[in-house]
Amino acid sequence: MSAASNYTEDKTLDFWLKANSASTTAPANVYVALFNTDDSAGAVGQGGTADLLEAGTLSEECAGGAYARQAVTFGTVSGGSVSSSGNVTFPAATDGNWGTITHLAVMDAATSGNVLFYGALDTNKTIDSGDTFQITSGNLTVSLA
């Protein structure tokens, strides 16, 4: 994933390019959030999930029994990218389906908070009641282009 939210872009530019900028503090933990949509447009600039994530709007975040954002840790930054350093496993969906997961985001809080980075899944994944969603170690990469 290489898309940074408007929030992250603004904070980055402010930090690096303004000598008297307000201090930006890294969050103590970051979390993976899952997103789905029934928006058939789905393209950037068409009001799809990617547009919502860039703007920081979380209206398409999964909901349902047992859904909660999961903490993620990252390894060493190298060559402008960094990958997850452990498995990220969501609990089994209960009391209904979570729908089709199309996007994920790295967030700065377990609830609410800000979108830091986001991207579409290589392959959409439907989560029905009883299913789990897992990102194995090294398979979530954030890159700056």
Side-chain angles (χ1 to χ4, degrees):
M1 105 179 32
S2 62
S5 68
N6 293 341
Y7 170 85
T8 300
E9 291 170 349
D10 291 348
K11 291 289 186 181
T12 301
L13 291 172
D14 188 56
F15 179 82
W16 288 109
L17 302 177
K18 293 178 67 180
N20 295 318
S21 69
S23 176
T24 297
T25 304
N29 295 296
V30 292
Y31 301 85
V32 175
L34 304 178
F35 291 81
N36 54 36
T37 183
D38 57 7
D39 180 345
S40 59
V44 175
Q46 301 296 315
T49 300
D51 285 337
L52 297 173
L53 290 169
E54 180 176 351
T57 302
L58 305 177
S59 62
E60 302 292 337
E61 187 169 5
C62 286
Y67 172 78
R69 295 177 189 169
Q70 298 299 302
V72 59
T73 56
F74 289 94
T76 303
V77 175
S78 178
S81 68
V82 63
S83 296
S84 55
S85 60
N87 292 342
V88 179
T89 305
F90 286 78
T94 61
D95 300 325
N97 305 331
W98 292 357
T100 300
I101 310 304
T102 61
H103 291 73
L104 59 80
V106 176
M107 309 290 296
D108 66 1
T111 60
S112 296
N114 299 291
V115 175
L116 301 176
F117 299 94
Y118 65 93
L121 297 181
D122 290 338
T123 304
N124 295 347
K125 173 71 174 159
T126 300
I127 304 295
D128 293 323
S129 187
D131 292 344
T132 60
F133 186 91
Q134 182 180 66
I135 304 165
T136 56
S137 182
N139 283 311
L140 174 57
T141 301
V142 176
S143 300
L144 294 179

